[in-house]
């Protein structure tokens, strides 16, 4: 698994790009000096509304591995639970990536928590248009047996009909008290039975730690982690994103 940074400078601070009226996504450019158009990862945050900042630690780490990482705000408090915003960010992601030096042909869809379920749902659903389907997908600390707001079906349900059309990577913390690791194990077993290309990584951390954060009750959200073990676990998640995207 890729784990070392390319020999280049640190990634720049993100810029913000509009993907719909009044809606922004962070653009994390790959480390300075990364050669050629960079692989692209569209990374969806979880259930909390407008939390693209929560995924900045993971996105920065992945950008340091040579990826161009896009992280949109979206809100599960919309009447459709955010489905339209997620799909709008997907529809615009390749254009925005190309404008910032990314390679739209090497496009990975990923997400954390609820965002991970949605990423796996869209990537594998038979009705997803070919022009929107990623080359791979990554689900991080997610459950897959409930209905996705983007597709109207649970990923486990439509994947029961046949193999995934794209390779999948699944990451989960074994100490996750929010979404039990058994949800990922169940999907992994189903994919293996269907002879899908799937790789699963379990990490010794919790729901927040798997994305290099820690939950702070006083802030009501996840903030960047400082604990060395948590940071180490989150770096392994970033390495999975890089592996899914292929060589930079």
């Amino acid at each position: 698994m890729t784990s070392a940074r390319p020999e280049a400078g640190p990634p720049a601070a993100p810029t913000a790009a509009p993907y719909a009226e009044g809606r922004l996504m962070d653009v994390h450019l790959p480390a300075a000096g990364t050669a050629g158009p960079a692989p692209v990862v569209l990374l969806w945050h979880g259930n909390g509304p407008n939390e693209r900042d929560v995924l900045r630690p993971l996105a920065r780490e992945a950008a340091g591995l040579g990826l161009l990482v896009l992280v949109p705000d979206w809100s599960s408090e919309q009447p459709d639970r955010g489905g339209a915003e997620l799909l709008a960010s997907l529809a615009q992601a390749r254009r925005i990536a190309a404008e910032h030096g990314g390679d739209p042909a090497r496009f990975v869809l990923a997400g954390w928590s609820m965002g991970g379920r949605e990423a796996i749902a869209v990537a594998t659903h038979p009705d997803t248009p070919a022009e929107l389907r990623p080359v791979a997908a990554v689900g991080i600390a997610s459950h897959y047996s409930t209905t996705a707001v983007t597709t109207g079906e649970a990923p486990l349900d439509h994947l029961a009909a046949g193999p995934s059309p794209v390779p999948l990577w699944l990451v989960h913390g074994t100490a996750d008290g929010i979404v039990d690791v058994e949800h990922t194990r169940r999907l992994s077993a189903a994919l293996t039975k269907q002879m899908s290309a799937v790789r699963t990584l379990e990490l010794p951390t919790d729901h927040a730690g798997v994305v290099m954060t820690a939950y702070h009750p006083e802030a009501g959200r996840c903030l960047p982690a400082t604990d060395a073990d948590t940071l180490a676990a989150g770096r392994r998640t970033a390495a999975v994103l890089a592996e899914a995207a292929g060589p930079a």
Side-chain angles (χ1 to χ4, degrees):
M1 179 181 293
T2 302
S3 59
R5 292 177 181 269
E7 300 215 353
T15 58
Y19 71 85
E21 185 174 357
R23 308 306 280 151
L24 298 173
M25 65 171 65
D26 278 347
V27 180
H28 295 261
L29 298 177
T34 300
V40 179
V41 176
L42 177 62
L43 181 59
W44 286 338
H45 67 71
N47 185 57
N50 307 322
E51 290 192 344
R52 74 183 195 270
D53 61 297
V54 169
L55 292 182
R56 282 175 185 160
L58 177 62
R60 288 184 183 123
E61 185 68 24
L65 296 173
L67 307 178
L68 190 150
V69 186
L70 307 174
V71 187
D73 269 340
W74 65 280
S75 178
S76 60
E77 296 179 353
Q78 297 287 349
D80 68 348
R81 298 208 62 207
E85 290 182 341
L86 289 167
L87 292 174
S89 73
L90 176 62
Q92 296 300 317
R94 286 175 174 81
R95 174 187 62 79
I96 293 170
E99 290 172 354
H100 290 84
D103 183 355
R106 293 189 291 168
F107 179 86
V108 172
L109 182 58
W112 170 60
S113 196
M114 181 179 172
R117 180 191 69 203
E118 299 303 319
I120 296 298
V122 171
T124 62
H125 198 276
D127 292 342
T128 296
E131 66 271 17
L132 295 181
R133 197 180 302 280
V135 298
V138 182
I140 305 167
S142 305
H143 59 84
Y144 306 98
S145 58
T146 55
T147 301
V149 301
T150 48
T151 65
E153 291 186 64
L156 264 172
D157 289 345
H158 69 251
L159 284 167
S164 171
V166 299
L168 302 178
W169 277 255
L170 306 175
V171 182
H172 215 119
T174 55
D176 194 327
I178 305 298
V179 180
D180 194 278
V181 67
E182 288 299 328
H183 289 286
T184 284
R185 291 170 180 168
R186 182 181 175 193
L187 179 61
S188 181
L191 290 165
T192 300
K193 183 177 180 180
Q194 292 286 10
M195 301 187 70
S196 297
V198 59
R199 295 192 64 178
T200 303
L201 176 65
E202 295 185 8
L203 297 171
T205 190
D206 63 9
H207 194 68
V210 78
V211 292
M212 303 182 76
T213 65
Y215 182 70
H216 288 251
E218 66 278 10
R221 67 200 296 113
C222 295
L223 299 177
T226 57
D227 175 75
D229 289 342
T230 302
L231 292 175
R235 290 187 184 107
R236 293 183 69 189
T237 303
V240 169
L241 296 175
E243 182 180 10

